[in-house]
Amino acid sequence: EDVYLDWATDTANDLRKEARGVAESLTQAISDGNLDGRRMRRVRTLVDRISSMDLADDIRLQVAATRALEQPSTASFKSLKDAAADIDRTVMRQVIF
């Protein structure tokens, strides 16, 4: 049980780390003035990965990623980054078991 819980927590947090990285990268792209469709594909991929791989089934993360895709802005990327905070092992235990 602990091995599965550790794996699930690590997997969920890897996805959240990816989301934070996407948010930071796109915030920088806005700052640099080069946010374009090619860069926004990263958000589309992230939304797909969250919907299929988020073991925590975190609706806040799903909504934040979708909003970042539909309304790209510094504010939506910040919301995504905030929603992508690491999940605690105790919380993951409640979600899974």
Side-chain angles (χ1 to χ4, degrees), residues 28-82:
Q28 187 63 46
I30 287 176
S31 177
D32 294 344
N34 60 6
L35 182 66
D36 57 15
R38 183 178 59 84
R39 293 184 197 289
M40 285 301 296
R41 275 192 295 243
R42 293 185 65 195
V43 182
R44 163 54 45 207
T45 300
L46 179 65
V47 168
D48 293 343
R49 287 176 49 80
I50 290 170
S51 67
S52 65
M53 296 178 61
D54 185 26
L55 299 174
D57 200 26
D58 185 349
I59 193 71
R60 183 174 170 238
L61 181 59
Q62 292 171 6
V63 167
T66 301
R67 185 171 294 128
L69 178 64
E70 295 172 351
Q71 301 169 4
S73 67
T74 302
S76 66
F77 297 146
K78 181 183 181 325
S79 293
L80 174 57
K81 187 176 177 181
D82 292 346

Side-chain angles (χ1 to χ4, degrees), residues 79-97:
S79 293
L80 174 57
K81 187 176 177 181
D82 292 346
D86 280 351
I87 192 165
D88 185 74
R89 188 174 189 268
T90 305
V91 173
M92 196 64 175
R93 177 183 293 280
Q94 293 171 343
V95 171
I96 294 176
F97 300 112

